[in-house]
């Protein structure tokens, strides 16, 4: 992620403008012309920095939304005797909080895609060509759960795929209702939800 403490570059300003316009108007209505105007640059400047609108959208997801680094590996202590339930619950709660933050802020940007089947198909192909998209989130969460299982922190007979979809689905739905009802959830409320979901999930994982 860009060091925002330093003077913002033209790329920073374009990403800030793109995030604002996409959040307020949705991905379809957020044309590069509108984004360029908001940033105070020409459209040509955008295309010097980004290959296309999909490339710009992905940069916004990566650099202006809550960090969800699907390409990173989560550090998990491989010594079960040194890990408490609280340690595992804390890691799961952090993951749930990050997922919910990500979805609640990306919904307003991407939701309009589903109103246009042709545009959605085009966007899907563009993401797949870049090895990106929603499935990468599932893969990231599944990898995290598998590491906990391999380290012996959760039951060996747990169906990792089912747990992954349960966790991601719960975060997705929570974010959906937050956005739908226009309820700007506080950090404390978000943390309480994430902790509750992690605790419930861990109880199921321990007793499987």
């Amino acid at each position: 992620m860009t060091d925002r403490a330093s003077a913002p570059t033209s790329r920073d300003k374009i990403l800030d403008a793109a995030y604002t316009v996409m959040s307020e108007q949705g991905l379809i209505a957020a044309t590069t012309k509108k984004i360029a105007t908001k940033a105070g640059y020409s459209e040509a400047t955008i295309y010097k920095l980004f290959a296309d609108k999909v490339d710009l959208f992905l940069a916004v997801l990566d650099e202006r939304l809550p960090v969800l680094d699907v390409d990173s590996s989560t550090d998990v202590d491989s010594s079960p005797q040194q890990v408490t339930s609280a340690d595992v619950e804390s890691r799961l709660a952090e993951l749930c909080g990050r997922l919910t933050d990500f979805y609640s802020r990306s919904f307003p940007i991407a939701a309009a895609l589903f109103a246009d089947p042709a545009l959605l198909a085009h966007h899907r192909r563009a993401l797949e060509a870049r090895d990106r998209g929603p499935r990468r989130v599932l893969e990231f969460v599944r990898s995290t759960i598998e590491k906990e299982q391999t380290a012996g922190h959760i039951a060996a007979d747990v169906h990792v795929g089912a747990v992954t979809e349960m966790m991601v689905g719960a975060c997705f739905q929570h974010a959906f209702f937050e956005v739908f009802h226009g309820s700007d959830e506080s950090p404390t409320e978000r943390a309480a939800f994430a902790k509750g979901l992690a605790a419930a999930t861990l109880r199921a994982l321990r007793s499987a």
Side-chain angles (χ1 to χ4, degrees):
M1 183 174 288
T2 304
D3 181 5
R4 305 300 300 284
S6 59
T9 63
S10 55
R11 187 176 188 280
D12 290 326
K13 294 177 181 178
I14 289 171
L15 283 175
D16 287 339
Y19 173 69
T20 298
V21 176
M22 288 178 180
S23 296
E24 293 176 350
Q25 302 183 31
L27 185 60
I28 296 176
T31 64
T32 52
K33 183 176 181 179
K34 290 179 181 178
I35 293 169
T37 300
K38 180 73 174 177
Y41 292 99
S42 66
E43 284 186 272
T45 302
I46 291 180
Y47 288 110
K48 285 180 182 178
L49 296 169
F50 303 94
D52 51 30
K53 188 175 171 181
V54 173
D55 193 35
L56 177 57
F57 170 64
L58 289 175
V60 168
L61 292 184
D62 288 342
E63 302 179 42
R64 293 299 181 270
L65 265 64
V67 176
L68 189 62
D69 189 356
V70 296
D71 295 315
S72 70
S73 58
T74 302
D75 293 329
V76 173
D77 192 324
S78 60
S79 305
Q81 68 275 14
Q82 297 178 6
V83 177
T84 67
S85 292
D87 294 327
V88 182
E89 182 179 317
S90 177
R91 284 199 290 267
L92 292 180
E94 180 186 4
L95 180 60
C96 292
R98 288 164 61 194
L99 280 169
T100 308
D101 283 344
F102 179 82
Y103 284 130
S104 66
R105 290 177 60 183
S106 61
F107 261 130
I109 296 175
L113 278 172
F114 294 89
D116 188 329
L119 184 60
L120 177 60
H122 170 75
H123 193 71
R124 184 189 306 119
R125 289 192 296 270
L127 289 178
E128 290 173 350
R130 292 164 170 79
D131 192 28
R132 298 295 297 274
R135 68 174 180 79
R136 298 285 280 125
V137 176
L138 285 172
E139 290 170 359
F140 171 71
V141 177
R142 182 182 182 113
S143 175
T144 300
I145 300 299
E146 285 177 339
K147 288 174 183 176
E148 297 286 4
Q149 187 178 56
T150 300
H153 305 158
I154 63 176
D157 59 346
V158 163
H159 190 296
V160 176
V163 172
T164 297
E165 296 204 22
M166 179 187 73
M167 285 183 60
V168 173
C171 294
F172 187 91
Q173 177 174 286
H174 188 84
F176 170 78
F177 281 120
E178 179 187 347
V179 174
F180 180 81
H181 292 293
S183 56
D184 191 11
E185 191 172 53
S186 70
T188 300
E189 292 171 327
R190 176 65 49 75
F193 162 74
K195 183 174 176 61
L197 176 57
T201 301
L202 183 57
R203 281 196 294 273
L205 297 179
R206 290 285 192 187
S207 62

